[in-house]
Amino acid sequence: MTTIIEARDLSKTYGDVQALSHVTLSVEKGALFGLLGPNGSGKTTMIKMLTGQTRPTVGSATVLGVDVIRDPVGVRGLVGIIPEQETPPSFLTAIEYLEFVAAVRKITDIEKKADWWFDFLDFADKKNVLCKDLSRGTRQKLMFTQAFIHEPELALIDEPLINFDPIMQDLVKDYLAGYVKKGKTIFISTHILEVAEEICSGFAILHKGTLLHTGPVTGLTARGEHLPSFFLSLVRKDRHV
Amino acid sequence: MFDLFINMVKEEWRVHSTMFGSLSFALFPVMIFGIAFMGSFLIPLMRKTLPAGNLALIVHANYLMLGIMVGGFGLLGNEVMNRRFGQASLLAYSARSLPLSEKFIFSNFVVKDTVYYFFLWVLPFGFGYILASPFTGVSLAATLLLLLTLTLSFLFGLCGVFFLSAVYARSRPVLWLILLAIGMGVGGLATMSGTNPVLFFPPLLLNSAFTWTNLFISCAVLALLFGVAIVLFNPESVGSEKTYRNSFAPLLRRFSFLPNPPFATKDTLDLYRSGSLVGQTIFSFLLPLGVIWFFLALLGPFFPPHGLLFIFAITTGVIASTMYTWITMFDTFGPYACLPVAVSTLIGSKLTTFAILQVLPATFIAAVATLSGEVTYLVPAVVLGISVSFYAVSVMAWLCGLSPNVLVYDVKVLFVYLVLVGIVLVVFTSVAFADPYFALLSVILVIPTWLLVRKAKARWDAVDPAGF
């Protein structure tokens, strides 16, 4: 198997706050990997470091063979990213934002590709609306589109389903499952455990910036365990420690 | 009302202080105080060449300008919330979650801005002047009066822009009518009285001869401007959707000769659709420069021949450099973080857009040179103004990266900015005064400008991009 993400001893401190502490993990090609953890556990920091948005205080990482510290822009050129909070630029329309992304990423045939996504995620009626006037759900659709429109080998998504209605959640879950079947890799961060159990092949649990566990979901189910109960018992135990 | 106000003040403080530490920000008013205190000792020297009335004029002009700039940056009608706060979640948005009306929140926002910037800028300056008064031979009563009239000047700038921007948000034709009426009124006053209409500016009148009537008139005009502006304030209706025909691709093709065309295209659409291009040009460029022109015109006799044009060109250059803040205020690095874009690329693209915008100051200086009958010196004046503008923006980019609006309040940043820009201003003012054509030597500023831009890109690529 080819290793797509390799993080070694990653740590990040913000002033006195230790956001991430000596995290080592790897993700193989074709995985739908879930990074799980309660609020403030360091999931977003981990994604930011893997995509070169923030530098680790200690440690190193490669993504698709590219060093995230030496070449953060190179990493972002290869992957698709959906940040947790960022929204598209206010004064571009939805279609203009996708054209902007296409111009930056040098994607060809953007109109055709954009139209497919507008239809697929059911927001074609919003293509000429200013991004600042879009609802949260529609913005999330747009951010989802910009992350996948160039069909990256790896997509890193922070809370992929958080603003979607149940119908859209179902559609997106199916899309993600189909995407990894094509040999691509997806790394998601979430605290919705049921979703992680349903779609992920592997997972890691972070708590207070420390990696508590990493392994395949099948390993759990083979032991008759469920991800939510496993997660809760592990995190609660760590809290008492 | 008071709780919301207090929390907005705290919030404003934290937005600034989190960017560069509470201490650095807290030192900002201390530095203003220091400048005023030490500057006061120069008054006896300056009086030998400038009458006291003209000194008062300069200081009042500065505070009127300050009010205009604060108002111009923050209060541009419909877009105020989005433009001021971007995607940050602040109390200005609390109408969505609290039982408070948009107008109520906006009134608090305006009062907060007034009080906040009064304590940040106006009071430290006045206090420095007051404390120095025993040593400078200026009476305490005169210093207290100056503090009052400077405050009024600042508020006239703030309220004036706030009023005009509220009108602008409602109806652009009405705004133009009001500006026309003001222009005609000022022109009529000048013709009838035969003096510069600036001398009728209420705070200046009050400063030269205090009367309760004058004070009442000043306060009444301010209250009227504030009141009308708040009544006119029209928050963009929640839920409305603005649609536009796709303009990105055609513009992208048109800008293909520029470096980083997608970013120049995006910036252009941002400026146009937010109303900022027109709004900022009026409120943060033309209006301040118009005011400066009136005030500088009074000082003409104290400059060497043609000196006024070159002082004005330099001033225009410095103000034009703040156009960099127009194009960086829309986005933090956040929206680009999911794309293969480095901070240095964004700085470069913002400077490209800035370069395009320099058509405005160049045209403006050329127009002033022509209208003032000094067309002979049009080229050196334009070269001087634009060279200063590019140099000042390179200093700004080096010191502040993509956050000039916020980092300007870091005392260390402001100090270095003032020193680096101040030295150049003094040198080239002297050079232009020596011989108008020597102003052409300012093209030499291209060297430090280029070096500073290079350093800016390396510096800001090496740190994690800042957000709120």
Side-chain angles (χ1 to χ4, degrees):
Chain A
M1 290 290 264
T2 312
T3 302
I4 297 287
I5 296 174
E6 181 85 64
R8 289 173 296 273
D9 199 30
L10 278 184
S11 295
K12 181 72 182 178
T13 49
Y14 296 102
D16 298 334
V17 180
Q18 178 90 40
L20 215 57
S21 177
H22 305 288
V23 172
T24 295
L25 67 81
S26 60
V27 176
E28 303 297 331
K29 183 176 168 66
L32 205 167
F33 192 90
L35 184 64
L36 316 176
N39 293 329
S41 59
K43 303 186 298 292
T44 297
T45 302
M46 184 75 184
I47 285 199
K48 280 187 170 181
M49 284 199 284
L50 291 177
T51 52
Q53 296 174 58
T54 188
R55 289 167 181 76
T57 314
V58 177
S60 60
T62 56
V63 169
L64 294 164
V66 179
D67 188 319
V68 298
I69 301 170
R70 278 197 207 154
D71 189 7
V73 176
V75 170
R76 292 202 291 272
L78 294 174
V79 305
I81 307 166
I82 306 181
E84 185 189 16
Q85 287 179 334
E86 292 304 341
T87 52
S90 301
F91 295 103
L92 296 185
T93 63
I95 179 65
E96 286 172 342
Y97 176 55
L98 293 179
E99 289 189 351
F100 171 73
V101 171
V104 173
R105 289 195 178 276
K106 311 218 178 326
I107 303 168
T108 54
D109 210 7
I110 182 63
E111 274 187 46
K112 199 173 156 194
K113 287 173 183 165
D115 280 342
W116 186 87
W117 278 98
F118 281 128
D119 286 340
F120 177 64
L121 292 178
D122 193 24
F123 68 122
D125 56 329
K126 305 291 180 193
K127 67 190 284 187
N128 290 316
V129 175
L130 281 189
C131 291
K132 77 181 179 70
D133 295 333
L134 296 173
S135 68
R136 272 180 189 274
T138 310
R139 285 184 199 178
Q140 180 78 351
K141 290 177 184 178
L142 189 57
M143 293 307 283
F144 197 88
T145 303
Q146 66 77 27
F148 284 96
I149 201 158
H150 57 303
E151 298 194 23
E153 282 302 310
L154 168 68
L156 297 103
I157 314 173
D158 207 348
E159 294 295 356
L161 304 175
I162 201 127
N163 291 311
F164 287 145
D165 61 44
I167 298 166
M168 200 50 62
Q169 285 189 13
D170 207 42
L171 188 73
V172 167
K173 279 191 285 187
D174 284 348
Y175 178 80
L176 296 179
Y179 199 70
V180 292
K181 276 185 189 154
K182 289 193 275 187
K184 314 272 187 178
T185 310
I186 292 174
F187 185 97
I188 64 168
S189 141
T190 184
H191 50 222
I192 307 175
L193 303 171
E194 290 76 12
V195 170
E197 183 172 41
E198 188 184 340
I199 64 174
C200 290
S201 53
F203 71 102
I205 296 176
L206 274 179
H207 185 226
K208 294 179 187 169
T210 306
L211 187 66
L212 297 184
H213 177 89
T214 181
V217 175
T218 48
L220 277 185
T221 45
R223 296 200 303 267
E225 282 190 273
H226 286 287
L227 186 54
S229 52
F230 177 76
F231 171 90
L232 289 172
S233 67
L234 207 61
V235 170
R236 280 177 184 149
K237 206 192 301 176
D238 190 56
R239 267 190 189 154
H240 292 303
V241 172
Chain B
M1 167 107 183
F2 201 60
D3 280 349
L4 182 63
F5 167 76
I6 291 291
N7 282 301
M8 278 185 164
V9 171
K10 280 184 189 169
E11 194 177 58
E12 186 89 7
W13 170 273
R14 283 171 191 161
V15 165
H16 286 122
S17 62
T18 49
M19 297 295 287
F20 37 77
S22 293
L23 182 64
S24 280
F25 186 51
L27 284 174
F28 182 81
V30 176
M31 191 178 83
I32 298 291
F33 164 79
I35 290 171
F37 182 75
M38 289 186 286
S40 298
F41 288 91
L42 296 175
I43 290 174
L45 297 173
M46 291 164 78
R47 273 185 179 162
K48 289 176 187 165
T49 49
L50 273 180
N54 290 37
L55 269 178
L57 198 84
I58 294 169
V59 182
H60 281 87
N62 279 328
Y63 272 81
L64 176 66
M65 274 277 301
L66 182 66
I68 289 173
M69 300 287 263
V70 168
F73 278 157
L75 308 171
L76 266 171
N78 276 358
E79 305 297 347
V80 61
M81 300 299 182
N82 283 323
R83 287 175 59 264
R84 182 75 191 243
F85 300 121
Q87 289 146 9
S89 181
L90 297 176
L91 280 172
Y93 281 126
S94 52
R96 293 173 190 173
S97 53
L98 296 173
L100 300 169
S101 72
E102 295 268 11
K103 252 183 191 146
F104 175 78
I105 291 171
F106 193 59
S107 309
N108 269 270
F109 169 73
V110 174
V111 175
K112 178 268 296 173
D113 249 15
T114 306
V115 173
Y116 187 83
Y117 289 99
F118 170 77
F119 280 100
L120 196 67
W121 284 97
V122 185
L123 190 62
F125 185 90
F127 200 53
Y129 189 61
I130 289 168
L131 273 194
S133 64
F135 310 104
T136 55
V138 181
S139 72
L140 183 64
T143 57
L144 289 172
L145 179 62
L146 182 71
L147 179 61
L148 172 71
T149 54
L150 286 185
T151 306
L152 290 172
S153 280
F154 172 75
L155 288 175
F156 262 91
L158 189 75
C159 300
V161 168
F162 178 42
F163 166 77
L164 291 175
S165 61
V167 174
Y168 167 77
R170 286 271 179 174
S171 163
R172 291 177 199 195
V174 173
L175 172 76
W176 291 117
L177 279 177
I178 289 176
L179 288 175
L180 187 69
I182 291 172
M184 286 171 68
V186 168
L189 197 62
T191 314
M192 281 162 56
S193 63
T195 52
N196 189 320
V198 161
L199 296 172
F200 295 101
F201 181 48
L204 257 184
L205 278 178
L206 195 64
N207 188 263
S208 59
F210 179 86
T211 64
W212 289 104
T213 313
N214 273 349
L215 179 62
F216 176 77
I217 290 170
S218 288
C219 294
V221 173
L222 283 174
L224 186 72
L225 290 173
F226 252 126
V228 172
I230 287 173
V231 169
L232 286 179
F233 173 66
N234 177 27
E236 208 160 29
S237 54
V238 177
S240 72
E241 284 183 346
K242 274 191 184 167
T243 58
Y244 284 93
R245 185 171 52 86
N246 185 351
S247 308
F248 191 87
L251 260 184
L252 187 67
R253 280 192 291 278
R254 202 169 290 176
F255 288 156
S256 58
F257 66 97
L258 293 171
N260 304 310
F263 299 96
T265 307
K266 178 194 165 292
D267 285 344
T268 305
L269 290 173
D270 274 346
L271 282 170
Y272 176 69
R273 289 179 182 166
S274 65
S276 215
L277 190 60
V278 177
Q280 292 280 32
T281 301
I282 295 171
F283 298 121
S284 297
F285 186 74
L286 294 177
L287 200 56
L289 282 172
V291 170
I292 285 175
W293 178 251
F294 271 113
F295 279 85
L296 279 179
L298 288 175
L299 299 173
F302 300 97
F303 295 131
H306 321 296
L308 192 59
L309 173 67
F310 287 95
I311 281 279
F312 193 68
I314 284 181
T315 311
T316 304
V318 174
I319 290 183
S321 72
T322 64
M323 286 175 172
Y324 184 65
T325 63
W326 305 4
I327 44 184
T328 50
M329 68 167 60
F330 291 102
D331 33 33
T332 59
F333 186 71
Y336 303 97
C338 54
L339 296 171
V341 178
V343 174
S344 55
T345 311
L346 266 189
I347 290 177
S349 74
K350 298 289 180 196
L351 290 174
T352 304
T353 310
F354 172 84
I356 296 169
L357 287 173
Q358 293 313 290
V359 171
L360 284 173
T363 310
F364 192 73
I365 296 170
V368 167
T370 309
L371 292 174
S372 60
E374 305 215 53
V375 74
T376 327
Y377 300 121
L378 186 151
V379 174
V382 170
V383 168
L384 179 61
I386 298 303
S387 300
V388 165
S389 176
F390 273 100
Y391 170 75
V393 82
S394 69
V395 174
M396 208 185 288
W398 175 55
L399 290 171
C400 306
L402 293 167
S403 311
N405 285 308
V406 179
L407 287 177
V408 71
Y409 294 109
D410 182 337
V411 72
K412 284 176 284 186
V413 167
L414 184 65
F415 179 76
V416 177
Y417 176 84
L418 290 176
V419 169
L420 289 180
V421 175
I423 289 170
V424 163
L425 296 192
V426 170
V427 168
F428 283 98
T429 304
S430 312
V431 166
F433 279 8
D435 184 322
Y437 284 105
F438 284 178
L440 291 168
L441 290 173
S442 59
V443 288
I444 205 169
L445 287 173
V446 75
I447 297 169
T449 300
W450 181 72
L451 288 171
L452 281 165
V453 169
R454 269 187 59 175
K455 282 174 85 79
K457 289 180 173 181
R459 177 183 183 181
W460 292 100
D461 264 344
V463 296
D464 285 347
F468 278 98

